[in-house]
């Protein structure tokens, strides 16, 4: 990765993990000092993340880390569902042998146990592999922001960490295996099941919040 890509990955990781808290304001200078990178790659990273709603830039106040709401998550999932169905369907048709080998390897790794950080890393890899295999450059502009924000919501609200990881990794493993097999129907069904789980997860957050 070049310096800008490194800055994007690091800043996105801090936002997803909650190290930069939802609803907080942070200055460009603070980000530069925290990440230890130059001002130019940080500014370019900020410009890349702003259109994906990961951050909001206020000229006079600094950089806002948007709050996380169930309503936003459910709205994202409405859009993510058909987009991911299209992505896995295309991947089943277009995945190269090298891409299938990478998916097969990742599916095998998903049989193991993960910390939350390790699992988050595998999610990024899974999404990247599927997107590459789909072979449509326009899908990335839709998928990556939706997946990043959905992932952030899940990380912040995960309570039964091991149980949620187990459900997620099983569903992602099924998707990858179906793509490797060229089974579009199974891949689509698994993608929809993943979305159903994420909706269920978001609604469970509503229930918990109502009890507080």
């Amino acid at each position: 990765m070049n310096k800008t890509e490194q800055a994007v990955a690091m800043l996105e990781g801090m936002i997803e993990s909650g190290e930069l808290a939802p609803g907080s304001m942070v200055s460009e200078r603070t980000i530069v000092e925290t990440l230890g990178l130059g001002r130019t790659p940080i500014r370019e990273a900020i410009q890349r993340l702003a259109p994906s709603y990961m951050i909001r830039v206020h000229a006079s106040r600094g950089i806002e880390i948007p709050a996380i709401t169930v309503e936003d998550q459910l709205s994202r999932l409405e859009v993510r569902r058909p987009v991911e169905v299209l992505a896995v369907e295309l991947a089943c048709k277009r995945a190269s042998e090298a891409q299938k080998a990478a998916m097969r390897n990742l599916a095998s790794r998903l049989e193991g146990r993960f910390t939350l950080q390790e699992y988050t890393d595998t999610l990024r890899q899974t999404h990247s592999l599927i997107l590459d295999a789909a072979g449509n450059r326009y899908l990335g502009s839709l998928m990556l922001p939706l997946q990043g924000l959905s992932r952030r919501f899940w990380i912040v609200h995960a309570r039964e960490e091991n149980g949620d990881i187990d459900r997620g990794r099983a569903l992602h493993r099924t998707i990858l295996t179906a793509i490797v097999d060229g089974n579009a129907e199974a891949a689509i069904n698994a993608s929809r099941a993943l979305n159903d789980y994420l909706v269920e997860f978001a609604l469970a957050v509503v229930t918990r919040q109502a009890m507080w």
Side-chain angles (χ1 to χ4, degrees):
M1 292 190 292
N2 60 35
K3 292 291 187 182
T4 297
E5 291 168 342
Q6 185 180 356
V8 169
M10 294 173 70
L11 185 53
E12 188 174 31
M14 292 174 68
I15 294 170
E16 286 183 3
S17 68
E19 187 174 348
L20 291 177
S24 66
M25 297 291 296
V26 62
S27 68
E28 181 183 290
R29 179 178 178 180
T30 298
I31 296 174
V32 170
E33 293 173 350
T34 301
L35 298 185
L37 297 173
R39 190 172 295 274
T40 297
I42 295 299
R43 284 182 175 174
E44 291 174 350
I46 290 169
Q47 290 172 359
R48 288 195 191 183
L49 289 174
S52 67
Y53 305 102
M54 291 292 278
I55 59 175
R56 294 193 186 101
V57 180
H58 302 274
S60 59
R61 296 167 51 209
I63 299 159
E64 178 188 359
I65 310 303
I68 298 175
T69 69
V70 173
E71 292 78 12
D72 282 345
Q73 177 72 344
L74 292 173
S75 293
R76 280 190 290 270
L77 292 174
E78 284 183 348
V79 179
R80 176 174 168 171
R81 185 183 184 93
V83 172
E84 284 196 343
V85 164
L86 174 60
V88 299
E89 184 177 19
L90 291 176
C92 284
K93 297 175 182 177
R94 299 174 177 174
S96 67
E97 290 305 315
Q99 289 167 335
K100 288 180 181 180
M103 290 183 186
R104 193 178 295 112
N105 178 61
L106 185 54
S108 178
R109 286 168 49 201
L110 283 168
E111 293 179 352
R113 308 295 298 179
F114 295 93
T115 64
L116 183 58
Q117 182 58 58
E118 289 169 344
Y119 178 63
T120 302
D121 291 340
T122 66
L123 287 182
R124 291 195 187 94
Q125 293 173 44
T126 301
H127 296 155
S128 178
L129 283 173
I130 294 171
L131 183 59
D132 287 345
N136 186 314
R137 61 192 178 94
Y138 295 104
L139 273 175
S141 61
L142 292 172
M143 284 180 62
L144 295 177
L146 291 169
Q147 289 169 335
L149 290 165
S150 297
R151 193 164 54 237
R152 175 185 179 226
F153 181 93
W154 184 89
I155 291 169
V156 168
H157 291 290
R159 289 294 179 270
E160 297 179 6
E161 185 175 307
N162 290 332
D164 285 319
I165 289 176
D166 286 345
R167 288 192 66 181
R169 69 187 179 86
L171 289 164
H172 281 96
R173 185 172 181 273
T174 301
I175 293 170
L176 290 172
T177 301
I179 294 173
V180 170
D181 293 340
N183 189 336
E185 182 178 0
I188 289 170
N189 288 339
S191 177
R192 288 172 175 160
L194 174 62
N195 192 275
D196 289 343
Y197 158 65
L198 293 174
V199 170
E200 175 190 322
F201 181 93
L203 294 176
V205 171
V206 174
T207 301
R208 287 203 303 267
Q209 290 176 343
M211 295 173 63
W212 290 347

